[in-house]
Amino acid sequence: YDQIIMGAEDKGNDVNIQIYNASAAQWGNLLEVSTDVLNSNSRAFDIAVEDLSGDALIVYENNSLADTVVSYRIWNGTRYSSLGTLVTGLSSGAIRWASLTPRKGSDDIMLLIHDNAGDLHAFPWNGTAFDTPSKNITLSTATGSNLVPHFAFAWEEASGQGLVVYAGGTNLNYRTYSPTPPYWSVEATIALGNALTATSLCSDPSSDYIGIIVQDGGNDVNARIWDGTQILASPPTEDIDTEPSGANNVNIDCVWYNSSTALFGFVNLN
């Protein structure tokens, strides 16, 4: 579709969706999908576009009270679907953070949701529905702070498998995902010495390599490379004097600019 979809969360704890039609050069199709996210200091919604169909998946919290569901809709280029409800099983707190990661060459999307009680859960979307209960997983019930987005997912571009990283005490925790059984690996850890506060992943578009950059509560930044099987040894030296991320945003990122080189960005403390 020749369109741009935008979501906005405001100080009134509302979430609004709009569509920009490039042919008409105008915004339209305004829809307020939620009036009751938990707090505007956390992004309790996300949007991702299916790579093949072009349809957009919109996931959002619709209730600031603790419950077991999260809401979603589909934009098909013309209209929104009716309200859909995903039963999460996370009853300890309302959703604070939502993250959607689409997979190239398919309509698969990975949803990560983090609630107010420190629970992190993953749900694969197959282009039609969420693959529950077979492929969803509670990654952690004790990630640490619920005020920072300390988790991320990325797809391996060649294999179609994936990698998720997230906080766990003073460790960086990670698991792999496969579309075939047993789906999720056991949890592995890397000691950081401080609580994880920010993460970013980037996929090499021509291989199974994934770049990993993280920042911890001591404002230390570490970079790693996943090669499709393991995190490579001999990483660069930890940067210990960096500018901290904001309360509800990150200032680290990575990107591949050719098939063999990834660029990791962060802000030195000035």
Side-chain angles (χ1 to χ4, degrees):
Y1 313 128
D2 194 14
Q3 299 172 340
I4 297 171
I5 183 167
M6 178 182 72
E9 183 179 296
D10 63 31
K11 286 291 187 180
N13 299 335
D14 308 317
V15 176
N16 290 275
I17 309 297
Q18 292 188 70
I19 310 298
Y20 181 76
N21 188 315
S23 300
Q26 65 182 14
W27 290 93
N29 302 100
L30 174 64
L31 178 65
E32 187 171 66
V33 294
S34 177
T35 60
D36 193 27
V37 298
L38 179 64
N39 195 307
S40 60
N41 68 1
S42 308
R43 195 185 73 180
F45 79 96
D46 203 7
I47 303 168
V49 176
E50 296 175 348
D51 194 48
L52 295 182
S53 73
D55 292 347
L57 174 64
I58 309 158
V59 176
Y60 52 94
E61 177 59 273
N62 203 19
N63 191 342
S64 61
L65 300 177
D67 58 20
T68 61
V69 299
V70 67
S71 301
Y72 67 94
R73 294 177 187 264
I74 303 295
W75 169 259
N76 67 2
T78 303
R79 62 182 62 87
Y80 298 102
S81 71
S82 58
L83 174 68
T85 300
L86 170 64
V87 178
T88 67
L90 300 178
S91 59
S92 299
I95 302 304
R96 270 194 176 270
W97 303 96
S99 174
L100 292 170
T101 307
R103 177 186 164 199
K104 279 200 224 175
S106 82
D107 287 337
D108 293 345
I109 298 172
M110 183 61 71
L111 166 66
L112 300 181
I113 52 174
H114 192 284
D115 70 15
N116 196 42
D119 304 322
L120 179 65
H121 205 99
F123 292 91
W125 170 266
N126 62 20
T128 303
F130 288 100
D131 280 324
T132 59
S134 61
K135 295 183 181 180
N136 63 292
I137 185 175
T138 298
L139 296 165
S140 176
T141 58
T143 61
S145 173
N146 55 32
L147 300 178
V148 292
H150 48 54
F151 57 89
F153 180 90
W155 295 97
E156 296 175 353
E157 297 294 356
S159 72
Q161 298 179 344
L163 177 71
V164 62
V165 301
Y166 52 96
T170 58
N171 296 323
L172 166 66
N173 296 341
Y174 63 96
R175 299 175 190 252
T176 59
Y177 169 76
S178 172
T180 58
Y183 306 121
W184 295 94
S185 71
V186 297
E187 183 179 88
T189 64
I190 296 175
L192 296 176
N194 293 289
L196 185 66
T197 57
T199 65
S200 185
L201 303 182
C202 53
S203 302
D204 176 8
S206 60
S207 77
D208 287 337
Y209 278 56
I210 297 173
I212 306 167
I213 184 169
V214 300
Q215 186 177 46
D216 64 33
N219 299 329
D220 309 312
V221 169
N222 285 274
R224 299 286 194 276
I225 293 289
W226 172 262
D227 71 354
T229 303
Q230 63 186 343
I231 292 179
L232 298 179
S234 303
T237 302
E238 177 181 78
D239 287 278
I240 61 173
D241 197 21
T242 70
E243 185 174 297
S245 294
N248 54 6
N249 56 72
V250 300
N251 60 5
I252 58 172
D253 208 352
C254 66
V255 65
W256 292 82
Y257 64 89
N258 61 40
S259 61
S260 62
T261 307
L263 175 67
F264 297 88
F266 58 94
V267 182
N268 280 322
L269 185 62
N270 295 318

